Amino acid sequence: MNILLTADETRAAEAFACRNGISGATMMENAGVSVAGIIRKRFSPRETLVLCGPGNNGGDGFVIARELRRAGWRVRVARDAKRHLPADADAMAQLWQGKNFPLESLEKLPRKPQLVVDALFGTGLTREISDVYARAIKTVASWQVPVVAVDMPSGIDSNSGAVHGVALQADITATFFCGRPGQYLFPGRRFCGEVIVCDIGIPDDALDAMDESCRVFLNRPGVWRKHLPQPRETSHKYRRGHVVVRGGGLAHAGASRLAARAALRCGAGMVTLACSPSALLAHASQETAVIVTSVDANGLESLVSERKVRAMVLGPGNGVGEETREFVLRALRLPTALVLDADALSSFVGCIEKLSDAIAKHNGGVVLTPHSGEFERLFGEIGSDKLSMTRSAAKRIGAVVVHKGADTVVADACGHVVIADNVPYSLSTAGSGDVLAGMFGGLLATGMPAFHAAGCGVWMHGQTAQSFGKGLTAEDLPPRIAGVWHQLER
């Protein structure tokens, strides 16, 4: 399941299950049994310490401890005996017949464990971890032993991935029913290790009772696959879609060429690179399948009309300033999908209202592709975390925003979000963003809706880089896109 649930949505799902005859105690028992099963499958029997917190996460921990002990493992529990547990968690604590140690005495344990189960704090943590819990986390970290986290590594915000004071690094995070955004957003993702989703008895119908308009998805093909272009025997280059990539001056010609080649590889039937006169010969000498022409803002409308252009990519290598800004505003008066990248975004720093007003009047999909620096310059401080910031930006600008990075977030103006988890570090190389912009243009030209084209492009970009491995440069990406299409068609 690709859906990621916030803390409030998780509580709503659990409440739905309770209303439909699945008690909290039953879900707690199922959770503990599932996590114990994962531990037994991944590790040989060993000295294990289970950290049990003051809430229902601690109740899961007592079930895990009981199940492992029943399987013959040596298990101890560390808990804060001064804190009263909720009813279900307390019932599980009463069923535990093994040894308990106070959390504040972890440094004095006679034997260092070989495995730690972190059931201190799960979904819903919003405050800074301090006092005995912070000391316990630091002690466990100093042991350098494997850690299995229950629901979330303690200290990580399940909504945003933020660290609340301190956090425990997990090798495996076993979560329940659905994943959480904070498991895929940095810095939280760094602490989660492998994420495994466990079934604890919550019916899938619980999702139907939630607001779908603001749903968060993990960016997987299942989110957008049904919108992929379907090739037909009767297809021809105009039916597949024509993309115009605007090229800049001679000094930055490579950026627009990368975008143009990627657009062609991503499904467009034709790609025209519309550059300045000074760069015409440079582009023409390098391109074969891409059409090269010279056009300014005044000639844009006739170019789009005569060549049946469906999508445009503006920004890569275009230069920052009035000329690029005017070109974007002219393009927004035409009925084509638009990708605004790099210089096309930076040209509106300090005058974003001009861009949002033009987008509001535009008849077509618009995708903005800022990296974190461009995002901050364009939108300022509009949220406390990447998820809320990207949502706010998409709503403010009235378009799809692709907030790039290792945890790329894609949001539309209605609140739909996907979070990518397949973006390798090798993509942090010059020109990879130009390729991504071109990929969006190619997908938009085929008729994919903007949000789904953006999600698809981000996933394909990541998979393409992964297929190459180390030593990747931006030029390596376009030729390998075909291999990712084969993955999707299998």
Side-chain angles (χ1 to χ4, degrees), residues 19 23 61-62 73 103 105 134 138 152-153 181 233 238 279 281 371 379 381 396 420 423 441 443 449 456:
R19 292 194 300 271
S23 69
F62 282 109
W73 289 43
L103 269 176
S105 301
K138 291 176 182 177
M152 291 294 299
E233 292 83 352
Y238 289 111
L281 184 59
H371 57 59
F379 295 105
E381 295 183 8
R396 177 181 177 184
V423 182
L443 294 168
C456 178

Side-chain angles (χ1 to χ4, degrees), residues 105-366:
S105 301
L106 281 189
E107 303 97 331
K108 301 175 184 177
L109 280 179
R111 298 183 309 278
K112 185 178 79 171
Q114 297 170 298
L115 175 70
V116 171
V117 178
D118 170 19
L120 288 176
F121 300 99
T123 293
L125 179 70
T126 56
R127 61 183 175 82
E128 296 286 293
I129 291 182
S130 59
D131 303 328
V132 63
Y133 298 106
R135 292 195 298 274
I137 287 172
K138 291 176 182 177
T139 298
V140 171
S142 72
W143 291 339
Q144 296 185 322
V145 298
V147 173
V148 176
V150 181
D151 203 20
M152 291 294 299
S154 290
I156 300 299
D157 190 298
S158 65
N159 290 350
S160 68
V163 177
H164 289 300
V166 294
L168 197 52
Q169 176 68 56
D171 297 271
I172 297 172
T173 296
T175 195
F176 310 123
F177 184 48
C178 292
R180 315 284 185 258
Q183 293 161 352
Y184 297 96
L185 294 167
F186 283 103
R189 188 164 114 194
R190 194 177 297 119
F191 288 85
C192 288
E194 180 186 2
V195 177
I196 302 174
V197 179
C198 303
D199 178 11
I200 61 171
I202 299 175
D204 290 346
D205 291 350
L207 297 171
D208 297 333
M210 298 179 191
D211 182 4
E212 292 188 19
S213 67
C214 55
R215 189 159 283 174
V216 180
F217 291 89
L218 190 59
N219 191 27
R220 293 282 192 272
V223 177
W224 35 259
R225 184 186 291 277
K226 68 180 181 180
H227 297 281
L228 286 172
Q230 299 300 319
R232 295 180 176 88
E233 292 83 352
T234 57
S235 291
H236 50 73
K237 59 187 177 183
Y238 289 111
R239 185 167 289 172
R240 287 179 59 186
H242 186 173
V243 178
V244 166
V245 176
R246 192 207 178 199
L250 190 59
H252 302 286
S256 52
R257 280 206 297 273
L258 287 169
R261 292 169 185 174
L264 204 55
R265 294 281 186 174
C266 256
M270 291 178 65
V271 176
T272 293
L273 202 166
C275 63
S276 63
S278 65
L280 187 62
L281 184 59
H283 285 305
S285 65
Q286 295 289 326
E287 296 301 331
T288 50
V290 173
I291 302 165
V292 179
T293 188
S294 178
V295 69
D296 59 14
N298 293 323
L300 185 60
E301 185 174 357
S302 60
L303 175 69
V304 168
S305 175
E306 291 169 7
R307 302 199 182 184
K308 303 175 183 177
V309 174
R310 285 196 198 157
M312 285 188 277
V313 179
L314 310 180
N318 290 178
V320 177
E322 180 61 34
E323 183 182 352
T324 296
R325 188 160 58 244
E326 178 61 25
F327 205 98
V328 171
L329 294 175
R330 290 283 189 98
L332 283 166
R333 296 172 195 157
L334 304 174
T336 58
L338 287 181
V339 180
L340 304 182
D341 181 51
D343 296 343
L345 299 176
S346 295
S347 294
F348 285 91
V349 171
C351 57
I352 190 174
E353 294 78 14
K354 284 186 179 180
L355 181 59
S356 60
D357 289 346
I359 289 174
K361 300 171 185 175
H362 178 60
N363 182 24
V366 180

Side-chain angles (χ1 to χ4, degrees), residues 185 368 370 375 379 382-397 399-404 407-413 415-418:
L185 294 167
L368 279 63
F375 186 98
F379 295 105
I382 56 172
S384 58
D385 59 85
K386 192 166 186 175
L387 179 58
S388 64
M389 288 165 62
T390 310
R391 266 186 167 152
S392 296
K395 184 176 181 180
R396 177 181 177 184
I397 202 71
V400 173
V401 175
V402 179
H403 193 167
K404 295 185 293 192
D407 55 350
T408 295
V409 177
V410 180
D412 70 8
H416 301 106
V417 175
V418 293

